[in-house]
Amino acid sequence: MEYGLIGEKLGHSYSKILHGLLAEYEYHLCPMPPDAVDTFMREKDFRGINVTIPYKQTVIPYLADMGETARWIGSVNTIVKRPDGSLYGDNTDAHGFSCMAQSIGVDFAGKKTLVLGSGGTSLTACAVIRRQGGRPVVISRSGENTYADLPMHRDAAYLVNTTPVGMYPNVHASPVDLSQLPNLQGVLDVIYNPLRTALLEEAGKLGIPCVGGLKMLVYQAVRAVELFTGKPVVPERAQAAEKQLRAQAMNLVLIGMPGCGKSTIGRELAAISGREAVDTDALIAAEAGMSIPEIFEKEGEAGFRAREKAIVQREALKGGRILITGGGAVKDAENRAVLRMNGYVAHITRPLELLATRGRPLSAGGLDAVHRLHEERAPLYERCADAVFANETTRLECAQAIWEGFDEALRA
């Protein structure tokens, strides 16, 4: 093996994709049981490896030398075989975490940072914070500072989540209520699935600068590539890799009033982008074995909304697609939340008198009914959307404008 990743379970690793974007060498995922690690490390049949849970400390006795970063963190995630056959280990997670913090202008020096969790990533975060002159305070379920002690830390400037709370599939969970911490200047969440966790969504609503774990993931890999090859990764290539990885995870979500053109514009976007267009109303009808009007007639709106929610919650967390939602999907708060987690949400508007109403049960009462529906839903669309696009010229022009907005969001 030339290069690769070892760990006990690697089912959801992005490492192979990332290294393929950042370098030209072959990279392999090598899931490995604990009893195979000793033989693997002694044989040294590799040029370089990354190491993940639970072997970041296990590999240390096999190393001839360690980098300074690995020494002060106490764990290794990157190993290079030198020309003489000896092994050198370092930790690139610290570089990734530092880049993540820098991206939102975090300055740890002289400030208190709450670090949620006490595992390996917490150790990395605390080491970086201390090295930059900050004061980390670890918050855990048991220990010197617990979650019950949060009111004592209202002066904290930053918060870092290193726990799995909020990670797929339990995406609606959040580790803390940020309203308890009124002086926060930044929130960092190392989770990258979903891209925008419930914690980050709350930070955004409160106007607190925030960043998710995808940037840390990318830039720890950038540093690993540099250790493997001995050459720097040019910034443009790193940025392109981050954008591509984000694109694979992020949906382009269309919301708006019934009849505003979401389905047609979604098809235009699919043609422009090569992405699959998924219409939640079409899925509901297909899985129910009857049309939307029939569902309303037999099960009422409550029955339809229950079916809709199940499908939205399922489909919104699958990335890389055009997701076309029904006009009322935003009525449910959990739907609004999950659509934003892995999605750029485009609100399509159209003059109410031009909205199509045929075959739409809640728009069938004429323009007065449409106005009432719009009055109810407009604030919900606004709450959910990242941007608004008017469908007032051609569907293609609207689709092109949405695609440009989405492309810009991928660079963020």
Side-chain angles (χ1 to χ4, degrees):
M1 180 177 73
E2 197 172 27
Y3 299 99
L5 171 70
I6 66 167
E8 190 165 15
K9 297 178 182 178
L10 305 177
H12 300 289
S13 174
Y14 281 114
S15 292
K16 185 175 179 65
I17 297 170
L18 259 176
H19 283 259
L21 294 171
L22 293 168
E24 279 69 42
Y25 48 67
E26 288 188 20
Y27 190 93
H28 303 273
L29 298 181
C30 304
M32 188 173 295
D35 59 6
V37 175
D38 180 68
T39 300
F40 177 83
M41 292 301 298
R42 290 184 185 282
E43 289 181 348
K44 298 187 277 193
D45 186 21
F46 55 81
R47 293 181 64 183
I49 56 167
N50 292 127
V51 184
T52 191
I53 297 170
Y55 304 136
K56 291 185 179 183
Q57 286 80 39
T58 306
V59 298
I60 291 176
Y62 301 92
L63 306 177
D65 193 13
M66 288 169 59
E68 181 185 0
T69 302
R71 291 183 190 280
W72 47 261
I73 292 176
S75 70
V76 166
N77 78 332
T78 302
I79 297 174
V80 178
K81 185 164 71 172
R82 290 169 163 170
D84 64 1
S86 66
L87 300 181
Y88 168 85
D90 211 336
N91 189 304
T92 68
D93 287 335
H95 178 73
F97 181 76
S98 294
C99 291
M100 178 185 179
Q102 291 167 10
S103 72
I104 57 168
V106 167
D107 180 6
F108 292 117
K111 296 173 183 175
K112 178 192 287 189
T113 297
L114 302 184
V115 180
L116 309 183
S118 55
T121 308
S122 173
L123 292 175
T124 299
C126 289
V128 171
I129 293 163
R130 289 193 189 97
R131 200 176 197 193
Q132 295 183 10
R135 182 161 62 95
V137 176
V138 174
I139 306 291
S140 58
R141 286 175 292 183
S142 60
E144 184 178 349
N145 291 277
T146 69
Y147 289 88
D149 299 319
L150 278 178
M152 298 168 51
H153 300 289
R154 292 169 60 86
D155 59 331
Y158 301 112
L159 181 138
V160 180
N161 178 41
T162 72
T163 77
V165 178
M167 183 185 294
Y168 177 86
N170 301 311
V171 295
H172 293 294
S174 182
V176 294
D177 177 359
L178 295 181
S179 66
Q180 299 178 74
L181 303 166
N183 294 300
L184 288 179
Q185 301 168 27
V187 173
L188 298 85
D189 194 334
V190 303
I191 292 171
Y192 54 83
N193 184 17
L195 296 172
R196 183 158 45 185
T197 61
L199 179 68
L200 295 179
E201 183 71 4
E202 184 185 3
K205 288 178 180 176
L206 294 172
I208 304 170
C210 57
V211 62
L214 187 73
K215 194 169 288 289
M216 178 176 173
L217 177 72
V218 170
Y219 283 90
Q220 64 79 25
V222 167
R223 182 64 185 131
V225 169
E226 292 175 339
L227 288 172
F228 288 161
T229 65
K231 299 176 183 178
V233 175
V234 297
E236 293 78 11
R237 185 163 189 175
Q239 291 159 10
E242 182 182 358
K243 180 184 175 184
Q244 188 161 335
L245 200 63
R246 193 180 301 277
Q248 291 181 24
M250 189 182 286
N251 292 312
L252 200 173
V253 181
L254 306 183
I255 64 172
M257 283 287 287
C260 69
K262 296 188 297 292
S263 295
T264 307
I265 291 169
R267 289 193 292 271
E268 295 281 8
L269 283 163
I272 291 170
S273 65
R275 290 176 166 236
E276 177 189 9
V278 176
D279 190 317
T280 60
D281 276 356
L283 285 178
I284 294 166
E287 294 184 15
M290 51 184 161
S291 69
I292 303 297
E294 287 174 325
I295 296 173
F296 269 82
E297 183 179 350
K298 293 182 179 180
E299 302 177 4
E301 184 176 0
F304 173 78
R305 294 298 172 209
R307 290 179 179 274
E308 178 179 61
K309 182 170 184 176
I311 285 175
V312 167
Q313 295 292 310
R314 181 186 76 203
E315 299 298 323
L317 293 171
K318 299 175 183 178
R321 302 181 302 168
I322 310 294
L323 192 62
I324 304 162
T325 66
V330 296
K331 292 178 65 175
D332 187 283
E334 288 193 349
N335 282 353
R336 294 195 300 273
V338 79
L339 288 171
R340 290 177 57 78
M341 286 179 177
N342 276 344
Y344 172 80
V345 183
H347 174 201
I348 298 173
T349 63
R350 188 165 174 78
L352 299 186
E353 64 274 13
L354 299 180
L355 295 179
T357 59
R358 187 176 179 181
R360 305 175 193 277
L362 298 181
S363 302
L367 194 55
D368 286 345
V370 171
H371 275 282
R372 287 193 297 272
L373 208 59
H374 181 262
E375 187 175 347
E376 171 197 359
R377 294 180 182 176
L380 304 178
Y381 294 137
E382 182 178 356
R383 203 174 301 169
C384 188
D386 289 297
V388 180
F389 299 90
N391 177 19
E392 295 179 353
T393 53
T394 69
R395 306 287 168 85
L396 177 58
E397 287 179 0
C398 185
Q400 288 171 333
I402 292 171
W403 185 249
E404 289 171 7
F406 179 64
D407 186 67
E408 184 64 28
L410 292 175
R411 302 173 192 274

